């Protein structure tokens, strides 16, 4: 549930990182696995629920990139845009899980096709917003993302993950 | 909010890991930093809210250790007890954060003294339950935990974090 009591349209878990590495393509017979990585910044685990639409994306992105969820060198709380830091986006459908008995169910998650479209648009919007903010600061930051629907093989190195949850 | 609509007494974020390492004492002038680590199993990030009492702990522990939140070698969903895997418990007060403007506030978090007591009891109960289950399976598993109130310097290596959220 969101603060207002309405069912959530999306859920994000946020963690600070010093370095994070995510597999975007598993090793094949003749090819090694492919990875993306970021240095200092924020990992965004993201899940969309049934009924989520495009119009929630701008507010989600401005909130996630603008909230003071990171820590500067001086220990001050700042946003990932202000840090300035990079962003790794991890599609994570399991965040929509609800327990039934000992099993987890994912009945409120959005369908695959709509989920992929929202995810792709969310990534694009994050890129545009972060690079705009970074451009102003002339900082070298990047947005990387996992492949929707794949297994998200992740390695994370933190100075304190400072884990936050946001429902939208 | 919990499923029933009551304010949550505790929040847990769960991630599978192949290996996880957590600093439990920072480096001093004459001493290196101290770490605990687990191999395959589950990381439990935990936060207690105002009003939480001891009587929620048994259900929390049996739920977290009994829910099918992990993946066996054959790809079957199993509990961390069934895996059998180890558990790393990370106190994570930031999970109780709520956005106000661009800042995060933690007004609904439990006080420090009560939080420490619940956290310690939660860790003890996890140890007892996991070792009881593992003893039956003659498996070598362990429960490790972070120091309450400290910075939680964490390194995580996963085969897919399979991140779940549980409110109690």
């Amino acid at each position: 549930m969101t603060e207002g009591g309405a069912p959530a349209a999306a859920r994000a878990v946020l963690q600070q990182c010093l370095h994070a590495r995510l597999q975007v393509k598993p090793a094949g017979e003749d090819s090694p696995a492919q990875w993306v990585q970021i240095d200092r910044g924020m990992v965004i685990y993201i899940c969309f629920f049934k009924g989520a639409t495009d119009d929630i994306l701008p507010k989600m992105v401005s909130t996630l990139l603008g909230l003071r969820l990171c820590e500067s060198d001086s220990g001050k709380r700042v946003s990932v845009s202000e840090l300035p830091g990079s962003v790794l986006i991890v599609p994570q459908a399991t965040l929509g899980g609800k327990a039934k008995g000992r099993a987890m169910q994912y009945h409120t998650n959005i369908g695959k096709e709509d989920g992929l479209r929202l995810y792709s648009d969310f990534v694009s919007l994050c890129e545009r917003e972060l690079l705009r903010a970074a451009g102003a600061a002339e900082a070298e930051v990047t947005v990387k993302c996992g492949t929707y629907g794949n297994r998200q093989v992740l390695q994370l190195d933190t100075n304190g993950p400072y884990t936050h949850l946001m429902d939208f």
Side-chain angles (χ1 to χ4, degrees), chain A:
Chain A
M1 306 277 270
T2 59
E3 298 292 299
R11 174 166 294 161
V13 166
L14 300 319
Q15 292 189 313
Q16 281 196 107
C17 70
L18 296 175
H19 186 80
R21 186 169 181 257
L22 183 70
Q23 195 180 96
V24 288
K25 196 173 173 193
E29 265 184 43
D30 301 314
S31 58
Q34 287 176 26
W35 300 76
V36 292
Q37 51 190 321
I38 63 166
D39 290 317
R40 190 170 179 190
M42 186 163 75
V43 179
I44 303 179
Y45 306 85
I46 186 85
C47 173
F48 292 99
F49 296 111
K50 271 179 187 154
T53 51
D54 274 342
D55 54 7
I56 62 166
L57 297 179
K59 194 194 163 196
M60 279 181 71
V61 171
S62 66
T63 301
L64 293 175
L65 301 187
L67 271 177
R68 300 192 187 107
L69 296 168
C70 298
E71 191 187 28
S72 72
D73 289 326
S74 63
K76 203 182 150 197
R77 300 306 181 189
V78 298
S79 72
V80 69
S81 298
E82 289 166 334
L83 192 56
S86 293
V87 169
L88 177 65
I89 303 169
V90 183
Q92 193 80 158
T94 47
L95 278 177
K98 285 184 178 150
K100 177 160 186 184
R102 295 182 50 231
M104 297 304 296
Q105 296 185 329
Y106 305 92
H107 295 326
T108 54
N109 279 19
I110 199 164
K112 204 156 183 178
E113 204 171 305
D114 286 338
L116 171 57
R117 193 176 45 78
L118 284 169
Y119 174 71
S120 304
D121 291 350
F122 175 77
V123 170
S124 301
L125 210 50
C126 279
E127 278 173 344
R128 202 188 314 161
E129 280 299 299
L130 190 74
L131 299 184
R132 192 183 53 76
E138 294 184 6
E140 281 191 26
V141 299
T142 182
V143 173
K144 301 287 183 187
C145 64
T147 311
Y148 192 84
N150 266 22
R151 169 183 295 267
Q152 304 298 319
V153 177
L154 174 75
Q155 295 167 352
L156 186 67
D157 188 358
T158 82
N159 191 29
Y162 196 55
T163 314
H164 284 92
L165 167 75
M166 294 289 300
D167 275 358
F168 294 93

